[in-house]
C-alpha cells in the first residue's frame, strides 16, 4: 500500500520526503553545490589568466568562451622580466607592504592595549569614531593628501615636504587607512588576556610597555598574525594612492599594478605578458595565505568569541 502511495507522488515530492527523513543527505548536497560554486568562481579567473599567458599575443584575438589555449608560449613568464623591470615593481610592493605592516602593528598594538585593557570615559565612542575612518572612501583624502605630499601646503611659513615618487607618500596614507581594522582586531585579543598574567609580569619588574610586547602580544599571536597578513595583502594589492603618488616608473617606487599596466602602450597591448605578470604577482600572496591560513582563520573566529 505504501509503495503504491509513493509511486503516485511526483519526483520532487519523493525527493522532499527523502530529505526530511535523511537531512544529512541535504547538507552534503548543499556542501557540494557551495564548494563547486566557490571553486568555479575562484579558480576560473586563474585558468583564464593561464590560458592568456600561454597563448601567443597574436592569437588572443580569436578567443571564444570558454577560453581554450591557442598555442603554447611559456616564454611569456620570462619575457615579463625582460620587457620591463617587473622584479623591481614586485620589490617595491614588498617594501611598501612590509614597512606599512610594521608601522600598523606597532601603533595598533599600543592602541589595542588601551582599548582592550584599560577603562576610560568615551571608550566606546572613540572606538566607533576610529572604525568610521576605515569606511571613508579613499577618494575623499586624495586631493588634500596630494597637495600635502607635493609641498603645496604651508603652515606658519613652512611648506610641507615634497614626497612625490617616494615610498613615504604611500606608506603614510596606507598606515592611516588600514590602522582601524588592526586596532579593532588587536583590542579584542588583548582584552581576553587574563589580568593575572600582566600583573605577574609587572611584579617581576617590567613596565606596561614591556608586558605588552613580552607577554600580551606573544599570547595574542593569532590576532597579531591576522592583522599583519590582512594589512600586507591590502597594501600589496593597492593601486589607488600609488597611481597618483608616483610617476609609474619602477625607480619611483611604483607598485606591482603599475608594472602590469606597463605592458600596454599607445599602439600595442601585450595581453599575454599582462596575464603572465598577474600570475607571477599573485603567487607570493597566494603562498602567504596558504602558509598563514590557520592563523588567519583562528584569529578571525577567536576574535568573534567572548569567553
Amino acid at each position: 500500500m505504501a509503495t503504491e502511495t509513493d509511486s503516485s507522488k511526483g519526483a520532487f515530492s519523493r525527493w522532499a520526503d527523502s530529505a526530511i527523513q535523511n537531512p544529512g543527505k541535504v547538507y552534503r548536497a548543499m556542501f557540494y553545490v557551495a564548494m563547486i560554486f566557490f571553486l568555479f568562481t575562484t579558480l576560473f579567473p586563474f585558468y583564464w589568466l593561464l590560458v592568456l599567458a600561454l597563448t601567443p599575443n597574436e592569437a588572443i584575438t580569436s578567443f571564444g568562451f570558454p577560453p581554450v589555449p591557442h598555442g603554447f608560449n611559456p616564454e611569456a613568464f620570462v619575457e615579463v622580466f625582460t620587457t620591463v623591470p617587473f622584479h623591481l615593481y614586485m620589490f617595491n610592493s614588498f617594501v611598501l607592504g612590509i614597512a606599512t605592516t610594521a608601522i600598523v602593528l606597532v601603533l595598533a598594538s599600543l592602541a589595542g592595549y588601551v582599548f582592550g585593557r584599560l577603562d576610560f570615559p568615551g571608550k566606546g565612542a572613540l572606538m566607533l569614531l576610529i572604525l568610521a575612518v576605515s569606511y571613508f572612501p579613499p577618494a575623499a583624502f586624495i586631493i588634500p593628501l596630494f597637495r600635502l605630499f607635493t609641498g603645496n601646503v604651508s603652515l606658519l611659513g613652512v611648506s610641507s615636504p615634497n614626497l612625490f615618487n617616494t615610498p613615504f607618500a604611500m606608506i603614510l596614507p596606507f598606515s592611516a587607512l588600514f590602522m582601524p581594522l588592526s586596532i579593532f582586531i588587536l583590542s579584542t585579543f588583548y582584552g581576553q588576556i587574563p589580568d593575572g598574567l600582566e600583573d605577574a609580569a609587572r611584579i617581576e619588574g617590567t613596565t606596561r610597555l614591556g608586558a605588552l610586547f613580552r607577554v600580551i602580544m606573544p599570547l595574542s599571536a593569532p590576532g597579531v598574525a591576522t592583522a599583519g597578513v590582512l594589512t600586507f595583502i591590502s597594501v600589496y594589492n593597492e593601486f589607488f594612492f600609488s597611481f597618483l603618488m608616483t610617476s609609474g616608473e619602477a625607480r619611483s617606487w611604483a607598485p606591482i599594478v603599475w608594472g602590469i599596466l606597463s605592458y600596454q602602450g599607445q599602439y600595442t597591448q601585450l595581453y599575454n605578458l599582462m596575464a603572465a605578470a598577474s600570475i607571477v604577482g599573485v603567487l607570493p600572496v597566494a603562498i602567504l595565505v596558504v602558509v598563514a591560513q590557520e592563523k588567519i582563520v583562528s584569529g578571525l573566529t577567536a576574535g568573534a568569541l567572548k569567553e
Side-chain angles (χ1 to χ4, degrees):
M1 186 63 179
T3 306
E4 294 177 357
T5 305
D6 292 340
S7 61
S8 63
K9 294 181 178 179
F12 181 77
S13 297
R14 291 198 300 273
W15 178 85
D17 292 340
S18 176
I20 294 173
Q21 296 173 2
N22 188 8
K25 184 189 297 183
V26 179
Y27 297 149
R28 284 194 298 273
M30 293 174 62
F31 170 76
Y32 289 129
V33 170
M35 184 180 65
I36 293 173
F37 176 77
F38 175 76
L39 291 177
F40 178 78
T41 55
T42 54
L43 297 183
F44 183 75
F46 289 101
Y47 165 75
W48 200 331
L49 278 177
L50 184 61
V51 171
L52 283 174
L54 295 177
T55 302
N57 196 59
E58 58 273 13
I60 288 180
T61 55
S62 59
F63 262 131
F65 188 88
V68 293
H70 291 182
F72 185 68
N73 181 36
E75 290 82 6
F77 289 95
V78 178
E79 294 177 16
V80 295
F81 295 102
T82 58
T83 305
V84 300
F86 190 68
H87 57 289
L88 294 181
Y89 287 105
M90 293 186 67
F91 175 78
N92 295 341
S93 290
F94 272 109
V95 171
L96 295 174
I98 292 174
T100 304
T101 302
I103 294 173
V104 166
L105 286 183
V106 171
L107 297 182
S109 294
L110 298 175
Y113 178 86
V114 173
F115 283 103
R117 304 192 64 80
L118 302 180
D119 292 324
F120 55 89
K123 176 180 173 180
L126 187 56
M127 173 59 81
L128 184 62
L129 179 63
I130 292 175
L131 290 177
V133 174
S134 63
Y135 292 101
F136 285 1
F141 306 105
I142 191 63
I143 293 179
L145 287 179
F146 183 81
R147 289 179 55 82
L148 178 66
F149 293 151
T150 52
N152 292 314
V153 176
S154 298
L155 180 63
L156 301 176
V158 179
S159 300
S160 59
N162 186 0
L163 302 178
F164 189 74
N165 280 338
T166 68
F168 303 105
M170 291 165 283
I171 290 175
L172 293 177
F174 290 164
S175 301
L177 288 175
F178 300 126
M179 187 81 69
L181 179 61
S182 297
I183 293 175
F184 176 74
I185 294 175
L186 294 179
S187 63
T188 304
F189 273 86
Y190 293 171
Q192 296 177 351
I193 303 297
D195 294 337
L197 294 176
E198 182 181 358
D199 295 339
R202 297 192 63 187
I203 290 174
E204 292 294 329
T206 187
T207 60
R208 281 189 179 274
L209 200 60
L212 168 63
F213 289 103
R214 294 174 181 172
V215 177
I216 296 176
M217 284 188 68
L219 293 176
S220 305
V224 176
T226 301
V229 171
L230 293 180
T231 301
F232 178 82
I233 293 176
S234 300
V235 175
Y236 186 83
N237 297 324
E238 204 280 339
F239 181 63
F240 184 77
F241 279 99
S242 307
F243 181 77
L244 296 172
M245 294 300 182
T246 69
S247 60
E249 300 175 354
R251 63 175 181 273
S252 302
W253 291 95
I256 194 169
V257 184
W258 260 119
I260 296 174
L261 292 178
S262 62
Y263 296 108
Q264 64 178 2
Q266 185 175 2
Y267 302 106
T268 59
Q269 293 181 339
L270 304 174
Y271 292 114
N272 60 335
L273 296 188
M274 296 174 70
S278 299
I279 294 175
V280 173
V282 80
L283 283 180
V285 176
I287 294 173
L288 177 63
V289 171
V290 171
V291 172
Q293 62 172 338
E294 185 178 353
K295 293 290 185 183
I296 295 174
V297 172
S298 63
L300 293 175
T301 54
L305 298 177
K306 185 69 174 180
E307 296 182 356

